[in-house]
Amino acid sequence: MGYPRFLGVVEGNQFIIQDEEYHHAKVRRVKEGYKIEINDLQGNIYLGIVTCIDKKSIKGEILQKIPVIEDNFCVNLFLGMPNKLSKIDELIPSITELGVKNFIPVITHNTAVKEKDILKKLPKWEKISLNAIKQCRRLFPVQINRPVSTDKISPASAVKIAFYEKEKEKILKDIKFSADSVDIFIGAEGGITDEEIKMLKSKGFETFSLGPYILRMETAVITGLCQVNFVFR
Amino acid sequence: MGYPRFLGVVEGNQFIIQDEEYHHAKVRRVKEGYKIEINDLQGNIYLGIVTCIDKKSIKGEILQKIPVIEDNFCVNLFLGMPNKLSKIDELIPSITELGVKNFIPVITHNTAVKEKDILKKLPKWEKISLNAIKQCRRLFPVQINRPVSTDKISPASAVKIAFYEKEKEKILKDIKFSADSVDIFIGAEGGITDEEIKMLKSKGFETFSLGPYILRMETAVITGLCQVNFVFR
C-alpha cells in the first residue's frame, strides 16, 4: 500500500519535515534510511529517503516524483450544525475520504450552538482533515469555510441537492445527467423548517430522499456523499 | 415525524412496556394520556395511548394499527473484525439504519482479537441495534450472528460482493442486473491476505473498488452498504 506519507517542505531534491508533522513521524518510528512519501501541499507527492533526524526536524533526499491523479470533481457540503459539535470532529475524516472540497457549516433555525463556538472549532477541523489526507491519500485537505446562516447560503454549482427527510419520492438514482461540481445541503438533527426548505428551493436546491429509514446525521452525511459520488463522479 | 416509538407487548387492545424499555420511556418523559407508537417485534406497529404508569410498567390501549412497509431486500454483511471492537459498537446504529439483515463478524488472518472477546460483545450489539430501530423506524433489528473465520464464510445470496482495496478497476456502478439478496464482505484494517481473497473468490465473491481514496473501516462499511442499496434496492 505504498510508504507512509507525511506533510513536508520540498526544495530542490531535499525535503524537510518539522513541527507537529515531525512528531507524527517520530510516533510512526521513522528512522534514517527509511523511505517515506512527502506531500508538499502544492499538489505534489514525492518518494524520499530519510538521511538525517535531529531534535527538531527530519531531513532527506527526494528519490522521485510520484504521479498523482487530480480530482476534478467538486463537492461543496453545506451542513446544518448539530448541538454536539464534537460529532463534526468525528465526521471530518469521513468527508475527507469521500472527496468533499468545501465544507460550509450552516447555522439553521434549529441550531442551538452559537456562531462563536463554531468559529472556535474551525482550526481543529482543518487540522483533522490535514491529518486525514495522509491516510486516505488525497492531495489537499477539505477547505473548512466560515459558518453561514441558511438564508446566506450561496451555492456555487449548477447542481444543487438538498437531502430532506420529508421528501419521500425523489431519489438521486433517477438523475440521468452528469456534473463536475455539486452543492449538497444536509440539515442537522431536528430537521430544518419548511421555511428554510422554501429558501433553499428559491436558491435552486432540489430536494431528494436518502431512503426509507430515518438516518442520524452521521449516517446521512456519508450516505448523501456516497450517492452523489456514485451518480456524478 | 410521528410519535415516539417503544418496544412493547400487545395483547388484544392493550399494550404493556416493561424492564429496560420502561426506563427508556421514563427518560423520554412519557406520561399518562400521551400517544406513543409500539413495536411488538412481530412485524407490527401500533398507535397507543398511555393509561397507567406504575413503578414497573407502562400500560395503555391500542388506538390503531399503523400500516408498515415490509423490507424485502436482504443484505448480509460479513465484516472483518478490527482490533478495537468498540468501533463496531459505533457502527451498529448505521448498519441498522442502512437496512442490514444479518451481521456476521469475520475473524480474518489479520484479526488480532480473540473469538471469545467477539462472543462477549454479541449481546451488546443486539441491544444497540434493538435501540436503533425505534429511532430509524425499522421493524426488526439486525440479526447479530456468531463470528466465523474467513474460510468458514458461507454466503447465502446469489450476488456476492467483496469490497477490496487492491481492486482498482471494477466498480458497482457498472452492474446492470438486480437482486433481492446480496452478501457483502468488507475486510478489517490492515486488509485481508491474497489467500483470503482467493478463498472468497472460490466461494463466488466478486471484488469491487469503493473509489479512489483509502477509506477507514467506518467509512468503507457505510459507503459499501450505500452503494449496494443504491444499485440493487
Side-chain angles (χ1 to χ4, degrees):
Chain A
M1 294 312 300
Y3 297 98
R5 187 175 289 187
F6 298 97
L7 309 177
V9 176
V10 174
E11 273 188 18
N13 72 335
Q14 304 287 314
F15 70 83
I16 182 163
I17 294 169
Q18 288 173 301
D19 303 322
E20 200 170 342
E21 200 62 8
Y22 167 80
H23 294 290
H24 285 303
K26 292 287 276 186
V27 169
R28 295 284 298 274
R29 294 168 192 274
V30 168
K31 301 265 189 297
E32 284 174 24
Y34 276 27
K35 285 183 183 171
I36 60 172
E37 289 181 4
I38 300 103
N39 178 343
D40 69 356
L41 290 181
Q42 312 286 322
N44 307 302
I45 306 291
Y46 300 90
L47 180 65
I49 186 161
V50 176
T51 56
C52 168
I53 304 183
D54 58 30
K55 283 196 173 154
K56 283 192 144 185
S57 68
I58 293 175
K59 290 174 190 153
E61 277 168 29
I62 299 298
L63 299 173
Q64 65 181 86
K65 207 171 156 180
I66 294 174
V68 292
I69 302 154
E70 262 202 73
D71 186 4
N72 293 315
F73 184 68
C74 176
V75 179
N76 304 311
L77 174 63
F78 294 89
L79 183 63
M81 286 296 100
N83 295 340
K84 268 178 74 179
L85 288 179
S86 63
K87 282 191 186 176
I88 305 295
D89 302 1
E90 286 158 33
L91 261 176
I92 298 287
S94 299
I95 71 168
T96 306
E97 293 163 23
L98 293 170
V100 169
K101 202 151 270 182
N102 281 286
F103 174 73
I104 308 101
V106 181
I107 298 168
T108 65
H109 182 79
N110 289 330
T111 300
V113 286
K114 297 220 173 68
E115 187 184 12
K116 72 173 193 327
D117 298 321
I118 300 170
L119 286 170
K120 260 189 237 163
K121 277 283 194 177
L122 303 188
K124 180 167 190 181
W125 294 342
E126 278 167 8
K127 200 182 275 184
I128 294 174
S129 183
L130 206 51
N131 254 318
I133 61 168
K134 295 178 279 178
Q135 178 70 24
C136 76
R137 314 254 134 183
R138 244 180 91 156
L139 286 179
F140 298 104
V142 177
Q143 287 284 344
I144 311 288
N145 290 252
R146 290 175 66 90
V148 294
S149 55
T150 315
D151 59 309
K152 294 281 177 7
I153 284 178
S154 57
S157 311
V159 175
K160 301 177 253 307
I161 291 164
F163 289 110
Y164 184 43
E165 55 189 15
K166 286 189 191 165
E167 172 64 58
K168 300 289 179 202
E169 301 289 320
K170 251 188 309 174
I171 55 172
L172 222 50
K173 204 172 170 170
D174 301 333
I175 296 280
K176 296 294 175 218
F177 55 89
S178 65
D180 53 14
S181 179
V182 176
D183 285 2
I184 303 177
F185 175 90
I186 297 177
E189 309 129 342
I192 50 169
T193 63
D194 292 349
E195 203 172 314
E196 282 176 297
I197 273 292
K198 221 186 257 174
M199 212 178 269
L200 289 171
K201 281 181 175 169
S202 77
K203 290 171 191 283
F205 280 89
E206 256 192 275
T207 54
F208 287 91
S209 164
L210 276 174
Y213 301 123
I214 297 168
L215 308 180
R216 293 166 309 144
M217 191 199 63
E218 303 89 298
T219 319
V221 169
I222 301 179
T223 305
L225 288 172
C226 167
Q227 290 197 2
V228 165
N229 282 340
F230 208 68
V231 170
F232 296 105
R233 198 180 272 268
Chain B
M1 296 310 301
Y3 297 99
R5 187 176 289 186
F6 299 98
L7 309 176
V9 175
V10 174
E11 274 188 20
N13 72 336
Q14 304 287 316
F15 70 83
I16 180 162
I17 293 169
Q18 289 174 299
D19 304 322
E20 198 169 342
E21 201 61 7
Y22 166 80
H23 293 288
H24 285 302
K26 291 288 276 187
V27 169
R28 295 285 298 271
R29 295 168 191 275
V30 168
K31 301 264 189 299
E32 283 174 25
Y34 276 27
K35 284 182 184 173
I36 60 172
E37 289 181 4
I38 300 101
N39 178 344
D40 69 356
L41 290 181
Q42 313 286 320
N44 308 300
I45 306 291
Y46 300 90
L47 179 66
I49 186 162
V50 176
T51 55
C52 168
I53 302 183
D54 59 30
K55 285 199 171 152
K56 285 195 140 183
S57 68
I58 294 176
K59 289 174 190 154
E61 277 168 28
I62 299 297
L63 298 172
Q64 65 180 86
K65 206 171 156 179
I66 294 175
V68 291
I69 301 155
E70 264 203 70
D71 185 4
N72 292 316
F73 184 68
C74 176
V75 179
N76 304 312
L77 174 62
F78 294 88
L79 183 63
M81 287 296 100
N83 295 341
K84 268 177 73 179
L85 288 179
S86 62
K87 285 192 184 174
I88 305 295
D89 302 2
E90 285 158 33
L91 261 177
I92 298 285
S94 298
I95 71 167
T96 306
E97 291 163 24
L98 292 170
V100 169
K101 204 151 265 179
N102 281 287
F103 175 73
I104 308 101
V106 180
I107 299 169
T108 66
H109 181 78
N110 289 330
T111 300
V113 286
K114 297 222 172 70
E115 186 184 12
K116 71 174 194 329
D117 297 322
I118 301 170
L119 285 169
K120 261 189 234 160
K121 277 283 196 178
L122 304 186
K124 178 165 190 183
W125 295 340
E126 278 168 8
K127 201 181 271 181
I128 294 173
S129 183
L130 207 52
N131 254 319
I133 60 168
K134 295 178 280 179
Q135 178 70 23
C136 76
R137 313 252 135 184
R138 242 181 92 156
L139 285 178
F140 298 105
V142 178
Q143 287 283 345
I144 311 288
N145 291 251
R146 290 174 66 91
V148 295
S149 54
T150 315
D151 59 307
K152 294 283 177 3
I153 284 178
S154 57
S157 311
V159 176
K160 300 177 256 304
I161 291 164
F163 289 110
Y164 183 43
E165 53 189 15
K166 287 190 191 164
E167 172 65 59
K168 300 289 177 200
E169 301 288 320
K170 253 188 307 175
I171 54 173
L172 222 50
K173 204 171 171 172
D174 301 331
I175 297 281
K176 296 295 175 217
F177 54 88
S178 65
D180 53 13
S181 179
V182 177
D183 286 1
I184 303 176
F185 175 90
I186 298 178
E189 310 129 339
I192 52 167
T193 63
D194 293 348
E195 203 172 316
E196 282 175 298
I197 272 293
K198 220 185 257 178
M199 213 180 265
L200 289 171
K201 283 183 174 170
S202 77
K203 290 170 190 283
F205 280 88
E206 256 192 275
T207 54
F208 287 91
S209 164
L210 276 173
Y213 301 124
I214 297 169
L215 309 180
R216 293 166 310 144
M217 191 199 65
E218 303 87 301
T219 319
V221 168
I222 301 178
T223 304
L225 289 171
C226 166
Q227 290 197 2
V228 164
N229 283 340
F230 209 67
V231 170
F232 297 106
R233 198 180 273 266

